[in-house]
């Protein structure tokens, strides 16, 4: 097991201490925060890691061919009515960084939602 695996396992095992207050359109909405003491006595607080949804389990709305000047925030505004939901497009295309998705014109992007997301 790598040191990163050990750290992730420790983070997941810690009890949640507080629900965060991110807005409903944030990818972090509803995630719990946890704190832990470091060996030097400092206490760090972090969000519980967010697990990405399985794109195959998402409801496909459309396949969008990337056009010059496309950006995920503009696509999210068009499809979901909110430019801050660009992370949904990243989730549907297994990318953590939405801007990477629109760098290649002609690439076909999945526009999809997870169960419970609503659009």
């Amino acid at each position: 097991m790598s040191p990163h695996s050990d750290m992730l396992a420790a983070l997941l095992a810690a009890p949640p201490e507080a629900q965060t207050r991110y807005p409903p359109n944030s990818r972090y909405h509803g995630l719990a925060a946890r704190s832990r003491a470091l060996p030097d006595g400092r206490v760090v607080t972090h969000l519980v890691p967010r697990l990405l949804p399985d794109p195959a389990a998402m409801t496909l709305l459309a396949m969008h061919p990337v056009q010059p000047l496309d950006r995920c925030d503009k696509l999210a505004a068009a499809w979901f009515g909110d430019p801050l939901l660009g992370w949904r497009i990243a989730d549907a295309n297994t990318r953590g960084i939405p801007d990477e998705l629109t760098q290649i014109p002609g690439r076909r992007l999945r526009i999809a939602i997870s169960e419970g997301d609503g659009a």
Side-chain angles (χ1 to χ4, degrees), residues 42-118:
R42 290 180 297 145
V43 175
V44 294
T45 302
H46 58 87
L47 294 178
V48 173
R50 177 179 171 267
L51 301 177
L52 294 176
D54 176 6
M58 299 176 83
T59 301
L60 182 66
L61 302 176
M63 294 296 293
H64 174 81
V66 173
Q67 304 297 314
L69 305 178
D70 269 352
R71 295 190 330 240
C72 282
D73 62 332
K74 291 167 69 174
L75 294 173
W79 282 97
F80 307 125
D82 185 344
L84 298 178
L85 294 176
W87 57 269
R88 284 186 178 173
I89 297 170
D91 282 0
N93 291 278
T94 64
R95 290 279 197 280
I97 303 172
D99 291 341
E100 291 178 357
L101 295 169
T102 56
Q103 291 178 347
I104 302 169
R107 172 188 221 158
R108 293 175 48 83
L109 296 180
R110 292 172 44 91
I111 308 295
I113 57 172
S114 295
E115 183 179 330
D117 275 348

